[in-house]
Amino acid sequence: FLSVESCGSVSGCGEWIGALANSWRTTGDIQDNWKSMMSNADHTQAMYSIAGPGHWNDPDMLEIGNTGLSINEQKVHFSLWSIMASPLLMATNL
């Protein structure tokens, strides 16, 4: 499994990234708030064409379980990451 730290645009990485890596960060670090989450989602959706089986756009970790998003916002957050076939990684106390 190879993850590339930064691939901010299709033109920046080109179509080659999917042949080289399994995942690539599409954004900067996410913050625990709605604006940051939606910004990462908006930026990542523009790169849908280079993702596919075994190759994922990574808009950063889920903020599920942290205090900056309401329960409904966390549900939207998890749903968007799932729809984008993004890695579902989280770092929080369970």
Side-chain angles (χ1 to χ4, degrees):
F1 187 90
L2 176 63
S3 179
V4 175
E5 179 59 25
S6 181
C7 178
S9 69
V10 175
S11 62
C13 290
E15 298 289 334
W16 59 266
I17 194 71
L20 174 69
N22 299 102
S23 71
W24 42 88
R25 285 288 301 277
T26 57
T27 62
D29 291 341
I30 195 168
Q31 303 299 312
D32 190 17
N33 62 65
W34 180 258
K35 182 178 179 182
S36 176
M37 186 273 296
M38 288 304 297
S39 175
N40 282 22
D42 287 342
H43 192 80
T44 299
Q45 65 84 25
M47 297 180 62
Y48 77 92
S49 64
I50 60 175
H55 309 285
W56 303 280
N57 289 317
D58 179 5
D60 205 11
M61 294 204 152
L62 292 165
E63 292 294 332
I64 305 301
N66 296 325
T67 59
L69 297 172
S70 71
I71 296 297
N72 285 333
E73 289 172 338
Q74 290 179 41
K75 290 176 183 178
V76 170
H77 181 23
F78 193 91
S79 298
L80 286 173
W81 264 231
S82 297
I83 290 167
M84 293 186 297
S86 298
L88 302 176
L89 305 170
M90 60 189 231
T92 191
N93 292 329
L94 296 177

